[in-house]
Amino acid sequence: MSYVKVAKRDKVPYGQKAAFGAGHFILNILPGTLGVFIQFFLLTAWGVDPLWAGLLGGLPRIFDALTDPIMGFISDNTTSRWGRRRPYIFIGAIISGVLFFLMWQLDDNASQTYIIWHVMVLQILFLIGNTMFATPLVGLGYEMTSDYNERTRLMAFSNTMGQIAWMIVPWLYVIIPDSNTFNTQTEGVRTMALIVGAMCVFFGVLPALFCKGIDSAHMANRKAINFKTLANNMKDLFTGIKQVSKNKPFMKLCGATFLVFNGFQLVAAFGVFIIVFYMYSGSYEVAGTWPAWFNTINAIITAFIVIPIISRMSNRIGKKNAFIVSTVLSIIGYILKWWGFDKELNSKFNDTTLGESLTSGVGSIFSHLNPVLNDIGMSWFTINPDNEIPWLIFVPIPLFAFGMGGLFTLMMSMTADVCDLDELENGMPRKEGTFGAIYWWMVKLGQAIALVLGGLILKVVGFDPNITEQSLETMNRLRVADILIPSLTAALAVWVMWKYSLTEAKARGIKEELVKRRGEL
């Protein structure tokens, strides 16, 4: 257990934590909304071919993966009166918000060819702005404090605010098609794009205005960034990437992140299919808003229960051990989904005294609440009090939420420790931007692979989206995949991290050596 008191200069004030968290809210709301718009509403609102929708979701990611390390290198070596990161965060937030809005201002009668090229070109330009915002923001977080445990608290706070995005995103599937809210789905997409773009500008600039990074005024060995030095810059970029790739603790972090995140993303949509096509026999009307409530409650529990527990756990048993414990808990949660998503067990539970009492209580609340929600134009939150509530689907959430809740809270904190190790081994300039770019490139690679393999798995298990009644054999195979895939990848991540060597004692020793080397008090 860590008893080391945090030095005053290493504490991050709550105002800065809130501003940094606001940036992470944008980091989550943008890709979440973009995914919903491309993978769902391009098909249902504008009738774009599914193959082209998939290409629009995947191809720009290749370009995005190339720009991340470049932006990381640029921000690492930037010299300005406002620091290395904040100018890019400020400009990138504005560009991202404006281009996200423009990307979805499509006419109802636009041709498919026009829609494809419009979204493709605007999305590439948007991703440039988003890279300008996201990569320096991640790097800024790594350098806001040099304290081992304060880093975890900062990442826990920002990850909690980031989860707010995932409380909102699932409801886009409900709000946009709601005829009481929008006349058409296309109108809904255009309006929500305006709202998300405005939020991006407003919240995105807050880290640039209020967060403070490391004092880089006297940081040595930074490269000049201009067109004349472009060739040398590219050589230095590849040299930096090579140095980062030789950092064994960092490679373990990337490998574990790829496994946990990719396993989760592969089956992320399966829960919705299981709820609708297995538990409610393919009826979206009867399933109602339960898929949205499931994902929202998952985000709420992750944000306000799981992440605070993980932060305290990290202080007591160390970051590596906290990751292993949280990942094992998530595996138990995934396994419990077999019983939680069993429609017969849910039906039996609803027949028990406890189930009847819970359903009666919720039904009584919403029988009074539904008219109010309808009157104020928020009918999407209504629940039919006469329908059975699938209570057991919520039972595994507090356990499998530890997987994603622990992943980014702990991995981003440990990446900050790795940046200290890199400075010790390779000297200045510090490469938070490069480390952040490569780490998030691994996350994006996982997303891209999940988009491809997720559809392949649905095909292998025999799921047919064109029919309502899926066979029991197909749905059972899908339920097994929903449990087995993230459980196996999480178990592999535990194995990868088992011998992770950068402990708290080593991290504090590295910090002391760096303080001496820099001549700091």
Side-chain angles (χ1 to χ4, degrees):
M1 180 176 177
S2 177
Y3 293 98
V4 179
K5 185 178 181 180
V6 181
K8 185 177 181 180
R9 70 171 185 172
D10 288 331
K11 288 184 178 180
V12 180
Y14 282 109
Q16 289 191 42
K17 285 180 179 176
F20 185 64
H24 273 259
F25 168 72
I26 299 304
L27 275 185
N28 286 272
I29 197 72
L30 284 177
T33 307
L34 183 63
V36 171
F37 285 2
I38 289 179
Q39 295 173 19
F40 189 81
F41 287 110
L42 269 183
L43 281 69
T44 61
W46 281 281
V48 172
D49 184 90
L51 175 61
W52 278 108
L55 291 173
L56 284 173
L59 289 178
R61 295 294 174 274
I62 299 173
F63 176 79
D64 194 26
L66 296 174
T67 59
D68 279 0
I70 295 173
M71 189 66 239
F73 177 84
I74 290 172
S75 71
D76 283 341
N77 289 279
T78 291
T79 302
S80 82
R81 58 183 293 189
W82 300 284
R84 298 188 295 169
R85 322 285 183 193
R86 295 195 295 169
Y88 300 113
I89 295 171
F90 186 89
I91 297 171
I94 296 172
I95 293 175
S96 298
V98 171
L99 288 175
F100 187 86
F101 163 71
L102 294 176
M103 192 192 319
W104 297 104
Q105 302 314 298
L106 293 164
D107 187 82
D108 291 6
N109 301 315
S111 68
Q112 179 164 294
T113 301
Y114 175 83
I115 291 171
I116 290 168
W117 281 107
H118 176 94
V119 174
M120 181 71 77
V121 172
L122 267 294
Q123 187 181 179
I124 289 174
L125 295 175
F126 159 76
L127 290 173
I128 293 174
N130 191 237
T131 297
M132 288 180 63
F133 167 74
T135 301
L137 177 67
V138 173
L140 179 65
Y142 294 153
E143 64 183 42
M144 285 176 67
T145 175
S146 62
D147 183 79
Y148 181 83
N149 288 322
E150 185 69 2
R151 283 170 170 166
T152 303
R153 286 188 280 270
L154 173 64
M155 298 308 171
F157 193 97
S158 63
N159 199 10
T160 295
M161 293 188 68
Q163 287 297 317
I164 296 174
W166 300 107
M167 301 173 199
I168 298 171
V169 168
W171 292 97
L172 295 175
Y173 292 107
V174 180
I175 296 171
I176 291 175
D178 183 52
S179 59
N180 294 321
T181 306
F182 299 111
N183 294 321
T184 62
Q185 288 190 22
T186 54
E187 178 189 325
V189 171
R190 287 191 292 266
T191 304
M192 296 308 296
L194 171 62
I195 294 171
V196 171
M199 288 195 301
C200 178
V201 174
F202 180 80
F203 291 109
V205 300
L206 295 181
L209 297 176
F210 298 107
C211 294
K212 294 181 180 179
I214 194 171
D215 182 5
S216 61
H218 305 290
M219 188 175 290
N221 299 327
R222 279 185 286 181
K223 312 301 179 184
I225 306 294
N226 54 56
F227 287 108
K228 293 181 179 180
T229 61
L230 184 61
N232 289 330
N233 287 160
M234 294 304 295
K235 292 180 182 178
D236 293 330
L237 169 62
F238 287 116
T239 299
I241 292 174
K242 187 176 179 180
Q243 288 176 345
V244 167
S245 66
K246 289 182 179 180
N247 191 307
K248 291 182 179 180
F250 180 64
M251 287 294 101
K252 286 182 178 291
L253 299 182
C254 288
T257 298
F258 177 84
L259 288 165
V260 173
F261 186 73
N262 198 29
F264 173 82
Q265 285 290 104
L266 269 171
V267 303
F270 290 3
V272 175
F273 291 129
I274 292 169
I275 292 173
V276 174
F277 289 93
Y278 170 66
M279 301 187 71
Y280 290 99
S281 303
S283 173
Y284 283 95
E285 291 76 16
V286 179
T289 58
W290 290 120
W293 279 114
F294 176 79
N295 288 300
T296 298
I297 290 174
N298 180 22
I300 291 172
I301 290 175
T302 301
F304 302 115
I305 297 177
V306 170
I307 292 175
I309 290 174
I310 289 171
S311 181
R312 293 195 176 198
M313 193 191 305
S314 171
N315 289 345
R316 289 180 176 272
I317 64 176
K319 299 175 187 178
K320 183 193 82 170
N321 292 332
F323 172 79
I324 291 173
V325 170
S326 63
T327 306
V328 170
L329 288 174
S330 74
I331 294 173
I332 297 172
Y334 286 126
I335 294 172
L336 287 177
K337 290 176 75 175
W338 179 259
W339 294 275
F341 282 76
D342 189 297
K343 61 180 177 182
E344 292 184 2
L345 283 179
N346 272 278
S347 180
K348 290 179 180 178
F349 179 79
N350 274 290
D351 291 335
T352 65
T353 303
L354 177 59
E356 290 177 350
S357 299
L358 290 171
T359 301
S360 176
V362 171
S364 177
I365 292 171
F366 275 89
S367 64
H368 294 88
L369 191 59
N370 285 346
V372 177
L373 293 171
N374 286 324
D375 288 342
I376 61 176
M378 297 177 66
S379 58
W380 356 284
F381 288 128
T382 59
I383 290 176
N384 188 342
D386 297 325
N387 286 355
E388 283 191 348
I389 298 175
W391 291 107
L392 297 185
I393 68 174
F394 301 107
V395 172
I397 290 177
L399 288 174
F400 75 69
F402 273 88
M404 296 305 293
L407 182 68
F408 291 116
T409 299
L410 295 168
M411 290 301 183
M412 291 185 68
S413 177
M414 286 191 273
T415 302
D417 300 332
V418 165
C419 292
D420 288 346
L421 176 62
D422 178 73
E423 182 188 343
L424 183 70
E425 293 177 344
N426 299 308
M428 292 290 189
R430 287 177 63 90
K431 294 189 283 290
E432 288 93 349
T434 302
F435 276 100
I438 293 175
Y439 179 83
W440 284 98
W441 177 84
M442 190 66 64
V443 171
K444 292 173 182 178
L445 177 63
Q447 286 178 315
I449 292 175
L451 285 171
V452 176
L453 294 184
L456 179 61
I457 292 168
L458 286 173
K459 189 174 182 66
V460 169
V461 302
F463 183 85
D464 187 349
N466 296 314
I467 63 174
T468 301
E469 291 288 339
Q470 306 289 332
S471 70
L472 181 60
E473 185 180 8
T474 292
M475 295 313 300
N476 281 335
R477 283 198 292 257
L478 186 62
R479 292 174 65 203
V480 169
D482 184 47
I483 294 168
L484 193 61
I485 291 170
S487 297
L488 287 176
T489 56
L492 285 172
V494 170
W495 175 74
V496 168
M497 289 296 293
W498 194 261
K499 293 186 178 181
Y500 179 79
S501 59
L502 195 51
T503 62
E504 179 175 357
K506 288 184 178 180
R508 293 194 182 279
I510 290 170
K511 177 184 175 181
E512 291 176 3
E513 180 62 31
L514 291 177
V515 168
K516 292 178 183 177
R517 181 184 293 183
R518 299 175 195 146
E520 298 174 356
L521 295 176

